[in-house]
Amino acid sequence: MEVLETIVIQSSEVEGKETVVSTVDTDKTKAEFIWTLQATWHLVNTRLEMDAAFDQPVCKKKKLWEMVAEKVNAKLRESDITDVAVKAYECDLKWRNVLATYRRNAERAKRLGAASVHWEFFKAMHEVLDKSREDIEAQRRAKLSGTRVAKAMASKRFTPILPTPPATAAPCTPRPPQDVLQLYMELQERKMNMWVQQKALEERKIEAINNLAKAISSLAQRNGCTDSSKDGQ
């Protein structure tokens, strides 16, 4: 995809005429990337394949998202879907939106059953993400099973002492509903997404201004060369 920029500058030498300079920008990365269904599938599959790497306690998320973008772009080039490359931050932002939708559908599946969810990405994501939670819980139980407390409880030589309830129990503060917590998490994600989009917009503005300055400088140099040749004649 090519972007044609046209700059119109009033000429001081010829009255009533305009000098038109057209520059063709062939940089494909300046075009906007469109998330098609197939492109989203490539992102979901690639991110799920790298889920273990993202779950590491110490990892560079920026580097991992760059790897995700490279793999998605390679798959898109093989399918000849688009000639616009997707960037790492765009993959990160899209995954946040997809993950928020998955969490809402996961809660729905708990309440109404998996058959009530018809979202196309739910099954593939649920098989990996739900299994990841089960693995974490299994690891926690495995660590607990090796402790002395767990061994004593298993051999019935340990009787836990429960605290004596007070005479007047203090009123319990009700926990916020799960829906409220989910809404709060989604609001935080939206704020982060808005910040990323605003940052990308500012970078595009700066890039456009730089391109305009380069075009004007190039035009001035051409006019200077033309004036010199006329003076020589």
Side-chain angles (χ1 to χ4, degrees):
M1 181 182 297
E2 297 182 351
V3 180
L4 181 63
E5 297 180 357
T6 302
I7 304 174
V8 180
I9 301 177
Q10 296 290 342
S11 177
S12 59
E13 297 179 357
V14 182
E15 184 178 0
K17 293 186 179 180
E18 295 178 344
T19 302
V20 180
V21 178
S22 299
T23 59
V24 178
D25 187 358
T26 58
D27 190 358
K28 298 177 182 178
T29 60
K30 297 178 182 179
E32 182 179 0
F33 181 82
I34 304 299
W35 284 103
T36 61
L37 180 60
Q38 190 169 358
T40 306
W41 266 117
H42 289 324
L43 171 65
V44 171
N45 292 330
T46 302
R47 176 57 179 80
L48 293 178
E49 291 173 357
M50 300 176 60
D51 190 64
F54 277 90
D55 283 342
Q56 294 298 322
V58 179
C59 66
K60 296 182 179 180
K61 296 294 181 66
K62 182 179 180 180
K63 185 66 177 179
L64 291 177
W65 280 117
E66 289 176 354
M67 295 174 60
V68 171
E70 291 178 1
K71 293 183 178 181
V72 171
N73 286 325
K75 293 179 180 179
L76 292 176
R77 286 193 297 267
E78 293 176 358
S79 305
D80 292 333
I81 298 177
T82 178
D83 57 351
V84 180
V86 64
K87 297 181 180 179
Y89 79 90
E90 292 176 319
C91 292
D92 186 5
L93 179 61
K94 182 63 176 179
W95 174 255
R96 291 174 185 270
N97 294 333
V98 172
L99 187 60
T101 305
Y102 163 75
R103 289 171 178 170
R104 289 194 297 269
N105 283 279
E107 292 296 328
R108 177 183 177 87
K110 288 182 180 180
R111 297 193 309 267
L112 306 177
S116 63
V117 179
H118 304 286
W119 188 45
E120 58 265 35
F121 303 107
F122 179 75
K123 183 178 180 181
M125 296 182 65
H126 196 61
E127 289 178 354
V128 176
L129 300 181
D130 189 60
K131 184 179 179 180
S132 299
R133 287 193 293 267
E134 292 178 356
D135 292 341
I136 293 173
E137 182 64 20
Q139 292 176 2
R140 187 188 67 81
R141 293 178 180 177
K143 292 180 180 179
L144 179 62
S145 63
T147 61
R148 294 180 179 180
V149 176
K151 293 179 179 179
M153 293 180 64
S155 60
K156 298 183 180 180
R157 289 186 291 102
F158 174 78
T159 302
I161 302 176
L162 300 177
T164 304
T168 56
C172 298
T173 304
R175 296 179 61 184
Q178 186 67 24
D179 293 341
V180 176
L181 294 176
Q182 183 67 27
L183 179 60
Y184 174 77
M185 294 176 62
E186 292 178 3
L187 290 176
Q188 295 299 321
E189 291 181 357
R190 291 179 182 177
K191 289 182 180 180
M192 179 61 71
N193 295 341
M194 292 177 62
W195 180 83
V196 173
Q197 293 176 352
Q198 184 66 25
K199 181 180 178 181
L201 180 61
E202 293 298 330
E203 291 178 351
R204 292 181 181 178
K205 289 181 179 179
I206 294 174
E207 188 175 8
I209 293 174
N210 292 335
N211 291 337
L212 180 60
K214 291 179 181 179
I216 294 175
S217 177
S218 176
L219 178 62
Q221 293 178 359
R222 292 179 182 177
N223 289 338
C225 294
T226 303
D227 294 341
S228 299
S229 61
K230 289 181 178 180
D231 294 338
Q233 293 177 356

